[in-house]
Amino acid sequence: MARGGRPRLAGFSLKAQLILSFMAVTLLVLSVSSYYSYSRTLELFNKRTRETTLSQFRQIEMNTLTMLREVDKLSNTFLLESKVQAFLQSDRPTDLEFIALERDITERIIQYLTNYDYLDSIYIFGENGVVIGGTLAQNQSTNALGRQYPFYGTDLYARVKESFPQPIWQGGLTTADFMRTSIPAGLNDNRLISSLRGIRWIGGSRINAVLVFNVDERYFNSSYGSLQSTPDGSLTIADDGGRVISSTLTDSIGAPYLFGGEVRAKRGFGSFAADRGGTPEQVLYYRMDDTGWLFLNEVPTAHFTKDVAEIQRFIAAVFLLSLILIVAFASLWMNRIMKSLQLLVKGMKHVGRGRAGLTLEQASNKEIGVLIEQFNRMSTGILELMRQNEEAEGEKRRLEVEALQSQINPHFLFNALNTVKWMAAVANAPNIMECMTSLGSMLRPIYYDPSPFWTIREELAFVKHYANVMNFRYGEEIRLEFDVPEPLLDCRTVRFMIQPSVENALQHGENRNGTIRVSAAESGGELSVVVRDTRGGMPPERVEALNRMLRDAEAGDRPSKGIGLSNVNKRIRLHFGERYGIKVGSAEHAETRVTMNIPAIYGHAADQPAPTGDDEIGRRRA
């Protein structure tokens, strides 16, 4: 309550009070309903995501168990082979016995490896030191090394014996881990997931050998890789010790899982937040009951927030649209009972909200009609000013893009030029090296500085490198002079202001032996840059037409495909004002002068890179 017991809304008009009350109730209803809709949608989305991921994990589990059971079945079938049983019963076969057994068992191994292409290799490591097996390309069987064979000394061999008669699965191994010789060039050292078990002959009671079936990890990967939910995520299988045995991130295979500490003790299905290399991720895990292996699906957080953001935007759009419709219908209803003055107030509020160009109907009241007429003029005037400003900004952006687009792709060409430069060095061609160096120096400021401005010093360095490149084309016939006082070298200008005039002199000059001279002078806070060449001039009518084109060109004109004088003139005017620009003068068959007037702006901006090329450009000859 205010003083005298007056309500706080007593100072507002009836229309304002009704609109505010109506909007308050509506906003409350919309806010509650929108929040409930968003929360419910997000809950359903999270539930559906978890259900989908769990379904994928179970599909991967089924595929994996199918593969494990098939390999286990093959190893049992192989164990029942008569020649394998004969090998297990033999204590220490003679060389002749070994040759016969090795030949028969190796033939069966080759049949298995040929028929089941997911198998990489099969080995039998006898307790008596006899080894039979290998890959399709290399037979590692031996009766000579005995227990000096490298695999006998591994912790894995000891662990297999301890687990007898239960088989174990081991990942992170390679083909070379089971071989006694190195892998020759041209053959792959495949990553493996190995089934190892202690075996005995049918009538025996103690372990006679260790049977190894090695599965190529790529076939495990192919069984689950297609189920990866996002192209920028990853799927990983880790054993119960946290070691990666298979993954779409192949470099991590064999190493401890990056987030192994967080999932080692976890059971069932769940998720947690993590960070891989600066990328926030959501890690979903699922542990197999049969093997204790963990399936891990890493999904960038952006994959989830993208859908959530879509929901937020949709609800915000519905909320905003509803609010706009409510305000519009309320205003229409109120306008039926309000006078012309309220119409004017409403119009002023809309303009204040950004609806420039709005016009109101004339009122019957003369005085209010005058106000409405002036208001309409103001509103349309603001819209016209906004349109002109947008056109000017659009033209500025177009010209800058046109300027940059006319340059050769610097990043690609810079790398290519370095390649040519070193090729020239190998071929002992210093002229090519120098040309490539100059062209690379032209591209470097374009690549590292996207700003539309730089200094006169940088512009002249660019021109110098351009002239150096063109001299290789024209055979050292370009004579280029600079007459720029040292204090003016740090003045700011639009990029590529001088180079187009030098290029025109080179391309259109009649006299190939003429001189191109670049000079600059300051007067009254204005900088005048003149490019004068003695390579021939233009007839007066051509000069007049060119100046008229520069003076009267429309904003949308595009007289050339490159950075011509018209482009430079427009950029100067857009950045510095209409009083600045380019003027061309010429004496037929003698000389041509291009004068560029810009404001004298001294000093480097703090964020500008150091000038490239020769920093000592002054009054000298290039």
Side-chain angles (χ1 to χ4, degrees), residues 49-86:
T49 300
R50 291 176 63 86
E51 290 175 351
T52 301
T53 304
L54 181 59
S55 176
Q56 290 177 339
F57 278 146
R58 286 175 175 167
Q59 179 65 44
I60 295 173
E61 179 183 30
M62 184 179 67
N63 294 345
T64 302
L65 288 176
T66 300
M67 174 69 76
L68 298 182
R69 288 165 182 164
E70 183 173 353
V71 173
D72 189 61
K73 180 179 178 181
L74 287 177
S75 64
N76 285 328
T77 302
F78 181 79
L79 181 60
L80 296 177
E81 296 280 350
S82 58
K83 296 300 181 181
V84 175
Q85 288 294 314

Side-chain angles (χ1 to χ4, degrees), residues 16-46:
Q17 292 183 41
L18 290 174
I19 291 179
L20 287 175
S21 300
F22 187 71
M23 286 182 60
V25 174
T26 305
L27 282 173
L28 178 61
V29 174
L30 283 177
S31 300
V32 172
S33 60
S34 297
Y35 176 77
Y36 176 78
S37 299
Y38 173 74
S39 301
R40 183 60 179 165
T41 302
L42 189 60
E43 179 184 349
L44 292 174
F45 172 76
N46 290 335

Side-chain angles (χ1 to χ4, degrees), residues 15 334-348 359-373 375-376:
K15 178 181 179 180
M334 296 300 173
N335 283 339
R336 298 177 63 88
I337 59 174
M338 302 304 287
K339 296 182 179 180
S340 299
L341 181 60
Q342 300 296 29
L343 180 63
L344 179 60
V345 172
K346 175 187 172 183
M348 295 180 68
T359 57
L360 304 176
E361 297 179 358
Q362 289 294 330
S364 57
N365 186 286
K366 181 177 180 181
E367 289 75 10
I368 300 301
V370 172
L371 291 177
I372 290 180
E373 182 180 354
F375 168 81
N376 290 341

Side-chain angles (χ1 to χ4, degrees), residues 454-467 480-485 488-489 493 498-499 502 518-520 529 531 612 614 617-618 620 622:
W454 61 8
T455 63
I456 295 293
R457 186 188 306 274
E458 292 169 305
E459 178 76 14
L460 295 184
F462 183 87
V463 171
K464 179 187 173 184
H465 291 306
Y466 170 77
L480 183 64
E481 296 179 354
F482 297 98
D483 182 12
V484 180
L488 299 183
L489 291 175
T493 181
I498 300 175
Q499 184 268 342
V502 175
V518 180
S519 60
V529 180
V531 178
T612 59
D614 188 358
I617 299 175
R620 65 181 183 81

